Amino acid sequence: MVRTTGRRRKSAALFMLAASAMAMMTCVGTRNVRPTPVGRNGFVTAEDGDLWLNGRLYRFLGVNVYSLASAAPGSDGFTCGNALTDDGVRELFREVAAMGGNAIRIDAFQSFTAGGTDFSRIDLILDEARRHDVRVIMTLENQWPDCTEGGYKYADWYRAGYREPYGAYPLSYREYVARIVRRYRDDPVILMWQLMNEAESLTVQDLDDPESLLAFTADMASVVDGIDRNHLLSLGTIGVARAGSGGAFYALLHQVPGIDLVEAHDYRADTQRMPREVWLSLLAARAINRPFFIGEIGMDSPPLAPEERATLIGEKLEAAWHEGVDGVLVWSYRAGDGGNKDFDIHDPLASTLRRFSRTRHVRPDLR
């Protein structure tokens, strides 16, 4: 979700599909490998448009907690959003598991790891996720200024800026991704890596520059694939008709070798069970035979009664399950946003998630 008033613009290109794929580019090495954990389950994989785990179809339902890697209160680490103590992290995972959630999406930016030097907080998160049989989606950078360095990411960042340190970061984005991926490449509790949150590509003159985003995606997919053949990789998009990913480029971006899934976000359409942009993104995923998930689903209306919000999101979950969506993550759980954008275990929405978690294994035969 955009937690800023950053510039956004819809592409003027018409939605269409393409069948081309981009060539893989060179990979880089790194260090800092974490000891291989002992997990109960294997890695989530993608095959023929579906997600699989241990030989069975897999579907995830969970929440966004962008602030989960924030430094504990009283420490001198980086904080953005609702900072929890270590015990607070443990409690949050117990609550998510009690709701029937099996996935959490977090920010794992360079800011949260002291420039790629301190992964203790993420280690704790992954250990607790394993304990509660919850998978973690690791989002590695933000299109928007929130919780990171460098401000809004313009096309020149995607063209070349990501290869150099930016803001106060000691590492380039490319170096940081290589470092964190190598550290956790053998940990099956990670559901997927996600290159960006809500990637889009605009020049400073407010013009679409899809070629820069496409080249970035091809390069970074090759970096990750050269280090980690275990985990799924998501680019991280809002959906079709966004700057830099509209028209044919939406399909091209998600056909880059190494990109395994298609993502969309659901906002500004509270009463629509499946908004047009989400629906078109789903159709694109089916056309290129990729799994599809809704990475954020949230409410934008004026303050809603908790019961009304739970009902509206329940209707969206019902539509997603009916259409065979592979995963849904609600925005957000105890992250500190407040209002319609936040909820906790006592909210009626928690009961809604628990109800839909019982049917997430039921998949219609759409193919």
Side-chain angles (χ1 to χ4, degrees), residues 3 5 13 83 119 125 139 143 147 157 177 193 205 210 227 296 305 332 338 363:
R3 295 183 292 276
T5 56
F119 292 93
I125 289 168
T139 304
Q143 177 68 43
C147 301
W157 187 88
V177 169
W193 301 109
Q205 293 81 25
I227 299 168
E296 297 181 15
S332 60
R363 299 271 312 234

Side-chain angles (χ1 to χ4, degrees), residues 266-275 297-304 308-309 311-316 340-341:
D266 182 350
Y267 290 105
R268 290 172 294 281
D270 294 355
T271 60
Q272 297 178 34
R273 294 165 63 90
M274 183 168 284
I297 181 172
M299 300 282 101
D300 287 298
S301 297
L304 299 168
E308 184 179 5
R309 178 177 63 173
T311 297
L312 291 172
I313 291 182
E315 291 172 354
K316 289 176 178 289
N340 291 336
K341 297 295 196 303

Side-chain angles (χ1 to χ4, degrees), residues 25-271:
M25 302 176 76
T26 57
C27 63
V28 298
T30 187
R31 57 188 184 276
N32 295 339
V33 180
R34 191 187 188 206
T36 303
V38 178
R40 291 182 293 174
N41 300 315
F43 294 90
V44 178
T45 62
E47 184 178 350
D48 196 26
D50 288 310
L51 296 179
W52 296 82
L53 177 61
N54 298 330
R56 301 182 62 183
L57 283 170
Y58 175 80
R59 174 186 266 169
F60 60 91
L61 175 63
V63 293
N64 287 271
V65 194
Y66 72 87
S67 60
L68 195 58
S70 283
S75 70
D76 58 358
F78 178 81
T79 297
C80 183
N82 186 25
L84 300 174
T85 63
D86 289 355
D87 284 342
V89 171
R90 298 183 180 100
E91 179 185 17
L92 185 143
F93 273 100
R94 287 194 295 270
E95 292 174 356
V96 170
M99 290 189 295
N102 66 340
I104 291 180
R105 178 171 173 257
I106 71 167
D107 288 354
F109 309 155
Q110 197 172 156
S111 51
F112 290 102
T113 64
T117 65
D118 183 358
F119 292 93
S120 56
R121 187 68 166 187
I122 290 180
D123 287 350
L124 171 66
I125 289 168
L126 296 181
D127 289 341
E128 288 304 308
R130 186 167 15 262
R131 185 169 290 111
H132 294 281
D133 201 18
V134 173
R135 305 278 166 156
V136 180
I137 296 173
M138 303 272 273
T139 304
L140 300 175
E141 186 49 285
N142 199 0
Q143 177 68 43
W144 316 101
D146 307 271
C147 301
T148 189
E149 295 282 343
Y152 176 85
K153 309 300 186 295
Y154 284 99
D156 57 358
W157 187 88
Y158 286 106
R159 189 178 309 114
Y162 74 97
R163 292 173 172 265
E164 302 291 337
Y166 52 103
Y169 285 154
L171 301 176
S172 71
Y173 169 81
R174 201 173 192 268
E175 292 169 324
Y176 175 68
V177 169
R179 183 173 295 190
I180 191 172
V181 167
R182 182 170 293 278
R183 179 178 177 84
Y184 296 113
R185 64 184 177 183
D186 296 318
D187 193 338
V189 80
I190 295 175
L191 201 168
M192 72 181 81
W193 301 109
Q194 187 166 72
L195 295 177
M196 294 291 293
N197 170 58
E198 300 189 329
E200 62 181 36
S201 184
L202 280 173
T203 68
V204 293
Q205 293 81 25
D206 206 35
L207 300 173
D208 282 18
D209 186 354
E211 291 84 0
S212 293
L213 182 57
L214 190 59
F216 162 88
T217 303
D219 180 45
M220 290 310 305
S222 74
V223 169
V224 175
D225 192 57
I227 299 168
D228 180 0
R229 294 296 183 92
N230 292 321
H231 291 103
L232 300 172
L233 180 63
S234 160
L235 167 57
T237 56
I238 301 176
V240 298
R242 302 299 306 181
S245 63
F249 281 96
Y250 192 73
L252 285 170
L253 284 166
H254 293 95
Q255 287 178 296
V256 166
I259 299 298
D260 299 298
L261 310 92
V262 178
E263 179 195 19
H265 291 178
D266 182 350
Y267 290 105
R268 290 172 294 281
D270 294 355
T271 60

